[in-house]
Structure formats: structure tokens, C-alpha cells
Amino acid sequence: DANNKFWPISHSFVFAEDHNMYEFACNATLEMTPGRSRESVKLGYGDMFFEPERVKEWFPNILMMIDAYHLIYAKKGQSILAKEFGPVTWNFLKQHFVNALEAETKEEFDKHIDKAIAEAGSKQSIVDKIVKWQELGERWGHYS
């Protein structure tokens, strides 16, 4: 609602994901929202297609988060983490990642990730992947 200066949600439908198309959608949204600027955008969500550095070119003050649907909840093994870990391993780890996602503090987040690491046992390649996602926690954990 441009009159009340609420920032609209901008969603674009494209036939192929392309940063230029998304940039166009963002520019069109800005044009429809008087009183808002690129600098006023503080938070954004998207799938892993969006490179945070590229989005910072459009919105210099944005914190670009990975959305929970694409990361964890997409059905039929299509989530980012299901593809990363494979269906069998993801079945054992999913609840730990859901709990980490919903954690209210960084300490609680790390506690759930530690449980996922314990679940992985001595499988170092799985532990390495879990640690990678733990390091990206500020981009997907709700505590941040």
C-alpha cells in the first residue's frame, strides 16, 4: 500500500531463473512504492538461486535469507537439504534441522545442530555437510 508506505511483497514468475529478470521485478516494485528506496529494504527471502552479493547490488542494506520451504520443507525430496544429504540420511537429520530452524537463540540452534552431528556418527562426509550448514545458520536460522 504505497499511501501507507507498506513495502509490497514482490514475486515474479519467470520461465527460467535469471538475475536480470528478478532485478527488473525489484525495480518495478520500487517504482510502485513511493517513499521507499533501495536502501530501505532490510530483509529478503529466496531460494539458493539468489547470491547474497548480487542482491546487495540491488539493495545494499538487505539481509538475504534462505527460505524455509526451499531449504527444508519442499516435498518429494526436492528441498535443498534433502538433495544435499540424500533421502535416507535426510530422513534421520530432518527433525534436527527443523528444530534448529525454529530455535530462538544461537545457542539453541547449535544444540540442535550438535544433535544432527551426533546422529551422523563417524560419517565424516555427513558431519562436514552439517557443519557447512551450521556456518550458514545466520542465513536460514530464525534466531538471527
Side-chain angles (χ1 to χ4, degrees):
D1 179 345
N3 295 323
N4 295 307
K5 296 189 172 32
F6 286 104
W7 179 249
I9 294 173
S10 178
H11 186 88
S12 58
F13 293 94
V14 294
F15 294 101
E17 286 194 295
D18 177 278
H19 278 103
N20 293 329
M21 182 61 73
Y22 285 113
E23 184 176 13
F24 171 81
C26 292
N27 287 333
T29 302
L30 276 172
E31 289 175 14
M32 293 184 291
T33 313
R36 294 293 178 193
S37 68
R38 295 178 181 290
E39 292 74 25
S40 67
V41 178
K42 306 289 186 205
L43 182 65
Y45 282 87
D47 59 19
M48 292 291 286
F49 174 77
F50 288 104
E51 300 156 7
E53 296 77 27
R54 179 75 186 262
V55 177
K56 284 252 185 214
E57 293 175 15
W58 309 336
F59 304 110
N61 298 319
I62 197 169
L63 171 62
M64 194 64 200
M65 301 287 286
I66 305 166
D67 76 86
Y69 174 78
H70 286 99
L71 183 68
I72 293 176
Y73 295 114
K75 302 294 183 214
K76 298 180 183 174
Q78 295 302 304
S79 73
I80 293 166
L81 292 177
K83 290 176 182 178
E84 172 96 18
F85 290 106
V88 174
T89 301
W90 180 236
N91 187 50
F92 289 105
L93 298 178
K94 182 176 181 177
Q95 191 58 51
H96 299 301
F97 275 87
V98 168
N99 293 343
L101 171 75
E102 296 172 355
E104 294 183 11
T105 65
K106 173 75 166 101
E107 293 75 24
E108 189 180 343
F109 174 89
D110 286 337
K111 179 182 81 172
H112 293 296
I113 294 296
D114 288 344
K115 288 180 181 179
I117 290 170
E119 189 84 42
S122 62
K123 298 175 184 147
Q124 191 60 45
S125 64
I126 295 171
V127 171
D128 291 344
K129 290 177 185 180
I130 295 169
V131 169
K132 175 184 92 170
W133 285 101
Q134 182 178 26
E135 291 171 354
L136 288 170
E138 290 182 355
R139 291 199 45 219
W140 62 272
H142 290 174
Y143 70 88
S144 48

